[in-house]
Amino acid sequence: MSKRLRSSEVCADCSGPDPSWASVNRGTFICDECCSVHRSLGRHISQVRHLKHTPWPPTLLQMVETLYNNGANSIWEHSLLDPASIMSGRRKANPQDKVHPNKAEFIRAKYQMLAFVHRLPCRDDDSVTAKDLSKQLHSSVRTGNLETCLRLLSLGAQANFFHPEKGNTPLHVASKAGQILQAELLAVYGADPGTQDSSGKTPVDYARQGGHHELAERLVEIQYELTDRLAFYLCGRKPDHKNGQHFIIPQMADSSLDLSELAKAAKKKLQSLSNHLFEELAMDVYDEVDRRETDAVWLATQNHSTLVTETTVVPFLPVNPEYSSTRNQGRQKLARFNAHEFATLVIDILSDAKRRQQGSPLSSSKDNVELILKTISNQHSVESQDNDQPDYDSVASDEDTDLEATASKANRQKSLDSDLSDGPVTVQEFLEVKNALVASEAKIQQLMKIGRSALVTSSSSLPSFPSTLSWSRDESARRASRLEKQNSTPESDYDNTPNDTDPDDTGSSRKGRQRSMVWQGDGSVPDTAEPHTAPSPILPSTEDVIRKTEQITKNIQELLRAAQENKHDSYIPCSERIHVAVTEMAALFPKKPKSDTVRTSLRLLTSSAYRLQSECKKTLPGDPAPPTDIQLVTQQVIQCAYDIAKAAKQLVTITTKENNN
């Protein structure tokens, strides 16, 4: 494989163009379709991140890019490069293959079964082989050759191997040599920055002694990655490790409502866990946070008309065969937690992690992690759950995930950091806004559920005429690209609005991301603000925005009913009422909002309303069209309605947050 070919950005699994996801632990870039399979495998097989819409520590992204550009994919496809494989009919997937079963079977064989990895000659004692590989890794990390180390790790070398003669680990060696990308790779494979060598020094100590300050700071971040990720999930902030702050403990504004006996019992059981069981629970919750955030990014970046017919979210954590069946069932039970229950568990874990690190551990107990999950799961449930049944039968649907993401976003906007905030929001203030927001969100979610159902019905009713639908794949790609620009604030469980204090953002990258948020779609609406108008930070009240959103929702529901009943002559009057409601809602906001996210959502809202009118006009009697064209128009009408509802929901969420800061 030539260097030029390796450097071209194609999907590592099917060679499709412009991959938008990365598999961090495999050092590859992958396309949307292949990513849908990776996500179903679990993080123990593939750790996926979106290249644009997921926060990246700069050196972690640099590590993946280096591996990708230097042929890391050949590690996972070693035997496929042998001409004999072609002769025997073994080949990798291609872009034209179906996701199921073709691409899915290939990806599982490649990463789960390691069917194409180079095999070492068989030896009687496997432990000797692993030890030899680990010693090679120990000496290789002092160089910048990442792909060699990845190959050794793929064959069974241990990232935490303690060299008996040298008295240290590979991470000690990499840190002493200032090899920050090697440190990133080792950390992805489980290396612990807090491990002491035979002299009692950690990798952080060696990085500081060698003057590798960026590496030392990154190693501290890696050391606290689990608790940092959980805190960021709830409140969008990370601790200031440079100044000695290593924990942030968010505090929900309505925490006074959680002083029930069940809540106290759950916290007591959590505190009584042994350190080993507590670590297992914390790791499982970390994986669940990753699943929820990745699903949110996935939903925000896909073309929804394609998404609902071809791919789905991952409803619960995939089974990890290295874990017991009890632990796997407990992991899957996490998907049942609503946003409030899950936030409660995360906060309790953060609090206890801080307590344990500072000492004074409580007496160990044989309580099973499953008991804690049952207790907290029952804490706020309205419906009784039979927790003795297997967890494989009842899982979250797409709509449940959206509701959780929305509720979690509302909860987080009502959350305050106990170390950084000025004071808590009162219960009364919280409940007033929350009740109005929940009522509005419920209507929007019902609307979006109907919209998705209508999209599926509309898509499935279209005849398979290649000449008629030949635009679909290319148009879907263009649309997905536009959606990325429109919706650069994904519907996720955490606040993705640009944050000037985000330690992973440089000024230039932050500005670049803000520029990409400008609406680029068809039928864009020019900014009506005067060129010399100063940006205004003033936003309308949350109540006014919710009221206008309900008007929009009501009108869109009428349009969707007309679409479902094939009343095409109702499209135009419905679209006009929607346009009026959208105009009234947009008028609530200043002509030139200061917030990029507000401007982006407003442009998506108004431009989608214009596009909706344009599509509906195609049904006029004076312009007869065959049934196929009417069905295509209906699909576009539903897509526009979906975009309007989505933009309205974003504005409700943003306004609620800003007005309560």
Side-chain angles (χ1 to χ4, degrees):
M1 185 180 291
S2 69
K3 180 76 174 178
R4 182 170 176 269
L5 181 59
R6 286 200 304 265
S7 297
S8 61
E9 291 198 357
V10 298
C11 174
D13 297 336
C14 73
S15 301
D18 302 322
S20 54
W21 296 81
S23 175
V24 179
N25 57 323
R26 304 297 180 173
T28 58
F29 293 162
I30 51 178
C31 67
D32 284 359
E33 288 190 344
C34 292
C35 179
S36 68
V37 181
H38 277 250
R39 292 171 55 242
S40 69
L41 299 178
R43 292 188 74 253
H44 58 288
I45 302 295
S46 181
Q47 301 170 16
V48 298
R49 281 175 176 254
H50 196 278
L51 290 171
K52 295 180 180 177
H53 295 278
T54 302
W56 281 86
T59 51
L60 181 62
L61 178 58
Q62 188 181 350
M63 183 271 288
V64 178
E65 288 175 336
T66 302
L67 284 171
Y68 173 81
N69 289 328
N70 286 280
N73 196 42
S74 64
I75 295 173
W76 316 111
E77 296 183 357
H78 176 83
S79 64
L80 290 181
L81 301 177
D82 186 344
S85 294
I86 301 175
M87 298 298 293
S88 65
R90 298 171 72 187
R91 67 168 183 85
K92 69 181 295 177
N94 62 55
Q96 289 73 39
D97 283 338
K98 292 182 178 179
V99 177
H100 298 285
N102 305 72
K103 290 184 179 180
E105 288 180 355
F106 172 75
I107 290 169
R108 288 193 177 94
K110 179 178 176 180
Y111 298 110
Q112 196 168 34
M113 311 305 295
L114 299 179
F116 314 121
V117 171
H118 175 62
R119 300 291 179 185
L120 293 175
C122 293
R123 296 177 59 167
D124 295 334
D125 189 351
D126 289 338
S127 64
V128 174
T129 302
K131 186 175 181 180
D132 291 343
L133 289 169
S134 298
K135 285 186 175 180
Q136 290 182 47
L137 177 67
H138 188 278
S139 61
S140 297
V141 294
R142 70 180 73 252
T143 73
N145 199 332
L146 288 178
E147 57 273 21
T148 296
C149 294
L150 179 61
R151 190 181 302 277
L152 291 167
L153 290 164
S154 74
L155 293 172
Q158 299 300 304
N160 271 321
F161 172 73
F162 193 89
H163 199 295
E165 290 84 26
K166 307 288 186 181
N168 56 14
T169 69
L171 191 54
H172 284 95
V173 177
S175 300
K176 193 172 183 179
Q179 293 289 347
I180 191 168
L181 301 188
Q182 292 283 21
E184 291 282 5
L185 177 60
L186 290 169
V188 166
Y189 276 82
D192 182 5
T195 300
Q196 294 182 347
D197 65 1
S198 56
S199 302
K201 293 183 178 179
T202 67
V204 178
D205 294 330
Y206 282 107
R208 286 175 176 155
Q209 284 180 10
H212 311 300
H213 301 299
E214 181 186 6
L215 173 56
E217 291 171 5
R218 178 65 185 135
L219 287 172
V220 173
E221 289 179 0
I222 291 171
Q223 192 169 356
Y224 290 94
E225 180 185 359
L226 189 150
T227 50
D228 283 4
R229 179 81 177 269
L230 298 188
F232 190 81
Y233 170 77
L234 288 183
C235 65
R237 293 173 177 170
K238 292 183 180 180
D240 185 2
H241 296 293
K242 291 182 182 179
N243 292 320
Q245 183 198 34
H246 298 308
F247 292 91
I248 287 180
I249 313 297
Q251 183 181 40
M252 286 192 291
D254 60 344
S255 58
S256 58
L257 304 179
D258 293 328
L259 301 179
S260 64
E261 291 304 315
L262 275 174
K264 293 177 181 177
K267 182 173 290 190
K268 189 173 181 180
K269 287 182 178 179
L270 183 72
Q271 292 174 342
S272 67
L273 283 178
S274 67
N275 285 338
H276 174 68
L277 285 178
F278 177 77
E279 284 179 6
E280 285 190 351
L281 176 60
M283 289 166 60
D284 293 344
V285 170
Y286 176 96
D287 286 351
E288 175 65 11
V289 165
D290 183 82
R291 183 194 69 83
R292 294 189 183 205
E293 290 185 334
T294 303
D295 273 350
V297 174
W298 175 263
L299 287 170
T301 56
Q302 300 305 297
N303 175 0
H304 287 275
S305 61
T306 302
L307 173 68
V308 295
T309 56
E310 294 182 8
T311 55
T312 59
V313 297
V314 177
F316 51 76
L317 288 174
V319 172
N320 185 336
E322 296 182 3
Y323 296 160
S324 66
S325 59
T326 301
R327 184 175 178 185
N328 274 312
Q329 289 185 3
R331 283 163 59 85
Q332 292 191 344
K333 197 178 294 292
L334 291 169
R336 292 181 176 179
F337 286 28
N338 64 32
H340 192 281
E341 294 163 354
F342 191 59
T344 301
L345 175 58
V346 170
I347 291 171
D348 286 348
I349 287 176
L350 285 169
S351 300
D352 211 50
K354 183 177 182 180
R355 178 189 67 80
R356 288 170 189 256
Q357 196 207 46
Q358 293 175 346
S360 66
L362 300 180
S363 59
S364 298
S365 169
K366 294 183 179 179
D367 286 330
N368 192 287
V369 173
E370 180 76 6
L371 294 176
I372 293 180
L373 297 179
K374 285 182 181 179
T375 305
I376 300 178
S377 183
N378 289 332
Q379 182 178 340
H380 298 286
S381 295
V382 178
E383 298 179 1
S384 61
Q385 296 273 2
D386 183 3
N387 287 290
D388 294 326
Q389 294 180 347
D391 295 289
Y392 301 91
D393 52 352
S394 177
V395 296
S397 65
D398 289 18
E399 288 74 28
D400 294 335
T401 306
D402 276 351
L403 281 169
E404 287 181 3
T406 300
S408 179
K409 188 178 288 185
N411 275 340
R412 189 187 62 261
Q413 290 154 2
K414 299 302 173 191
S415 298
L416 296 174
D417 185 292
S418 60
D419 294 330
L420 302 177
S421 65
D422 295 326
V425 178
T426 66
V427 175
Q428 290 77 11
E429 290 173 334
F430 174 78
L431 290 178
E432 285 176 6
V433 180
K434 182 178 180 181
N435 289 338
L437 179 60
V438 168
S440 178
E441 287 288 358
K443 292 181 181 180
I444 295 174
Q445 291 297 338
Q446 181 185 14
L447 164 67
M448 297 179 82
K449 182 177 180 180
I450 295 171
R452 284 184 179 176
S453 175
L455 277 169
V456 174
T457 304
S458 171
S459 299
S460 61
S461 65
L462 293 174
S464 300
F465 295 153
S467 60
T468 305
L469 300 180
S470 60
W471 59 273
S472 59
R473 183 173 293 274
D474 292 337
E475 178 64 18
S476 295
R478 286 194 294 272
R479 237 184 175 169
S481 175
R482 289 201 299 268
L483 277 172
E484 286 184 2
K485 294 173 182 175
Q486 297 168 24
N487 308 319
S488 55
T489 305
E491 296 173 56
S492 62
D493 288 359
Y494 56 89
D495 187 359
N496 264 324
T497 53
N499 185 344
D500 289 344
T501 62
D502 189 342
D504 292 338
D505 273 348
T506 60
S508 58
S509 65
R510 185 165 60 245
K511 291 176 182 175
R513 191 164 62 248
Q514 291 172 347
R515 282 198 298 271
S516 70
M517 293 162 67
V518 178
W519 166 255
Q520 301 277 339
D522 294 335
S524 60
V525 183
D527 195 341
T528 56
E530 294 295 328
H532 301 296
T533 303
S536 172
I538 300 173
L539 293 178
S541 69
T542 304
E543 292 75 14
D544 287 344
V545 175
I546 290 175
R547 189 163 54 250
K548 293 301 180 183
T549 298
E550 289 175 347
Q551 291 180 7
I552 294 172
T553 301
K554 179 180 177 181
N555 292 324
I556 291 181
Q557 285 174 329
E558 292 179 6
L559 175 64
L560 292 179
R561 279 195 292 270
Q564 290 175 327
E565 296 170 5
N566 294 321
K567 295 181 179 178
H568 306 128
D569 55 347
S570 299
Y571 284 9
I572 292 179
C574 284
S575 70
E576 290 175 349
R577 286 193 289 272
I578 291 171
H579 186 265
V580 170
V582 165
T583 302
E584 291 177 353
M585 182 170 179
L588 294 174
F589 292 82
K591 288 186 176 181
K592 194 172 182 181
K594 185 176 182 180
S595 167
D596 283 328
T597 53
V598 171
R599 286 202 301 272
T600 302
S601 298
L602 281 172
R603 286 177 178 172
L604 175 59
L605 181 75
T606 54
S607 60
S608 297
Y610 274 100
R611 286 191 293 116
L612 176 64
Q613 281 193 308
S614 176
E615 292 294 337
C616 290
K617 287 178 182 177
K618 296 178 182 178
T619 63
L620 286 172
D623 185 16
T628 300
D629 290 339
I630 287 293
Q631 290 172 337
L632 283 172
V633 167
T634 296
Q635 192 175 20
Q636 295 301 311
V637 165
I638 294 171
Q639 182 68 57
C640 291
Y642 187 96
D643 289 342
I644 292 170
K646 186 173 184 177
K649 184 173 76 170
Q650 289 175 353
L651 288 169
V652 169
T653 305
I654 295 168
T655 308
T656 303
K657 175 189 174 183
E658 294 298 327
N659 287 337
N660 288 278
N661 276 348

